[in-house]
Amino acid sequence: MTAARRSLSQRVLWLAIVVFAVAWLWTAITAGDELPARIDGSGTVTRWDSKWSFLTVVGLVGGFTSAFFAGWRYLVRRVPGHMINLPDLEAWNHWISPENRPRFDRMIVEDLEWIGVATVALLAWITVVAGSVDGDDVGLWTMGLPTGAYTVGIIVYSMVMIFGTRYRIPT
C-alpha cells in the first residue's frame, strides 16, 4: 500500500509508534539507574526497579501493543464472517455480504487504529514520566490526568462505536 492510500488513522498510529520508540530510547539514554515501577493514585512512587527491568517490560508491552493494533489492517479481512459479532442478524447479513465486507473491514480497522493511537501514546507518556522522575512523587496530574483522560476517551469512543450511526445499515 502506498503512502497516499494509507488512512489517517494508520499514519497517526505509525507516528504514535515512532513517538513511543523515541520515548523508550530517550529514557534508556537519560534516566538514572532506577525508575518507578509503581505509582499510587496520589502520584507517590511506592516501588522502584532497575532501569533495564522497567525498559524491558515497557518495551515488550509497547512492542506487543503496537504490533497488535498495526496488525489488524492485515488480519481483519482474514477473520471469517461467522466470528464477527454484530447486534442483530440483519446487520450481520448486511456487513458480512461480499459487497459490504470491505467497507466494514476498513471501518473497524480505522476504529482499532485510533484506539491503538491512544494506547501507544499513553505508553509513551508513562515511559517519559518514569524516565524523568526526580523524587518520590510524580504529581497527581502527571499520571492521573492522562490515564483518566485515556480511560474516559476509550469508553466514549467505544460507546460511539456501539451506539452511533457508523455501523448502522445505510438506508
Side-chain angles (χ1 to χ4, degrees):
M1 179 179 292
T2 64
R5 293 188 58 213
R6 290 191 177 128
S7 69
L8 178 61
S9 61
Q10 185 181 28
R11 287 180 279 164
V12 176
L13 176 60
W14 281 106
L15 176 62
I17 292 168
V18 168
V19 167
F20 172 76
V22 168
W24 190 96
L25 284 171
W26 177 84
T27 302
I29 293 167
T30 64
D33 292 336
E34 288 192 326
L35 297 178
R38 186 180 182 286
I39 300 169
D40 70 13
S42 68
T44 303
V45 178
T46 59
R47 192 180 91 222
W48 295 85
D49 272 346
S50 75
K51 172 171 68 174
W52 294 109
S53 292
F54 174 86
L55 287 173
T56 298
V57 170
V58 96
L60 288 171
V61 169
F64 175 78
T65 302
S66 297
F68 176 79
F69 286 107
W72 278 113
R73 182 160 295 276
Y74 307 100
L75 295 175
V76 76
R77 64 180 161 261
R78 291 172 177 81
V79 174
H82 71 274
M83 293 182 70
I84 295 174
N85 187 10
L86 292 166
D88 58 53
L89 186 58
E90 185 180 2
W92 186 84
N93 284 328
H94 174 79
W95 289 115
I96 302 308
S97 68
E99 63 272 9
N100 294 319
R101 177 69 190 261
R103 181 171 176 225
F104 173 83
D105 290 350
R106 180 185 49 77
M107 290 189 312
I108 197 72
V109 164
E110 288 172 356
D111 287 336
L112 289 168
E113 286 172 344
W114 286 119
I115 292 169
V117 166
T119 305
V120 174
L122 180 64
L123 285 171
W125 177 256
I126 290 168
T127 304
V128 167
V129 168
S132 58
V133 169
D134 257 348
D136 288 338
D137 187 55
V138 296
L140 180 59
W141 75 269
T142 307
M143 291 299 284
L145 185 62
T147 303
Y150 169 82
T151 302
V152 169
I154 294 299
I155 290 169
V156 168
Y157 197 91
S158 298
M159 300 315 286
V160 169
M161 284 177 67
I162 293 166
F163 299 111
T165 60
R166 183 167 162 93
Y167 294 96
R168 288 203 182 134
I169 299 171
T171 54

